[in-house]
Amino acid sequence: MTADWLVCANCAGRVSEGRCAVCRAELARLREGRGPWSHFGSPAALIALLLTLVAVTFLVTRPT
């Protein structure tokens, strides 16, 4: 989940802007919830990683 489209009930602004203390607390909570491997959670990132591994395997095992 991203804070790009979340609207704060306290200040009626986007949470990603961090206008009030409630927005800043929610941003901190969202950032804390993401781990170091969260960027591999999207399907596009997993496909890119898989294609990279296939390309490296092909380059290593090809005959000279």
Side-chain angles (χ1 to χ4, degrees):
M1 176 184 245
T2 63
D4 295 337
W5 297 104
L6 294 177
V7 176
C8 178
N10 191 40
C11 68
R14 287 187 179 170
V15 172
S16 60
E17 295 173 358
R19 292 183 186 177
C20 67
V22 175
C23 294
R24 291 187 292 275
E26 183 63 21
L27 276 174
R29 189 187 67 78
L30 287 172
R31 288 182 183 137
E32 184 179 288
R34 293 187 301 198
W37 297 98
S38 65
H39 54 277
F40 289 118
S42 69
L46 290 174
I47 290 171
L49 179 64
L50 179 64
L51 289 175
T52 303
L53 290 174
V54 168
V56 168
T57 304
F58 174 73
L59 289 174
V60 169
T61 60
R62 70 179 179 161
T64 53

